[in-house]
Amino acid sequence: MGRNNIHHNRDKNKQKLPQIPKNLKSDGLDVEYSSELADKEDIEAQARANAADRRAHNRR
């Protein structure tokens, strides 16, 4: 006995999923930052955040 046709049709929609190019993907951050209004602590925090991002990116 052969297999039913239902076994061949169950995964057909996987190829129809939308593909988003990497340059259109966002990192999910929506932060407004004004360098004119930043004080010393803000600038230091920004530098620490950038350094942490670089370390995390190099770890991958």
Side-chain angles (χ1 to χ4, degrees):
M1 289 187 133
R3 294 178 65 141
N4 292 340
N5 286 338
I6 195 164
H7 293 290
H8 300 288
N9 293 333
R10 67 178 166 202
D11 291 326
K12 281 192 175 182
N13 65 343
K14 283 191 175 187
Q15 297 171 351
K16 296 179 184 176
L17 293 175
Q19 300 297 313
I20 300 173
K22 284 188 176 183
N23 60 351
L24 294 179
K25 290 183 180 179
S26 68
D27 56 359
L29 297 176
D30 187 23
V31 179
E32 188 173 326
Y33 178 77
S34 174
S35 59
E36 293 87 17
L37 300 176
D39 59 356
K40 184 179 177 186
E41 288 84 16
D42 290 335
I43 295 170
E44 289 175 3
Q46 192 75 21
R48 284 194 307 271
N50 289 337
D53 286 342
R54 281 194 297 273
R55 286 193 304 270
H57 183 68
N58 289 337
R59 224 178 244 188
R60 292 183 191 171

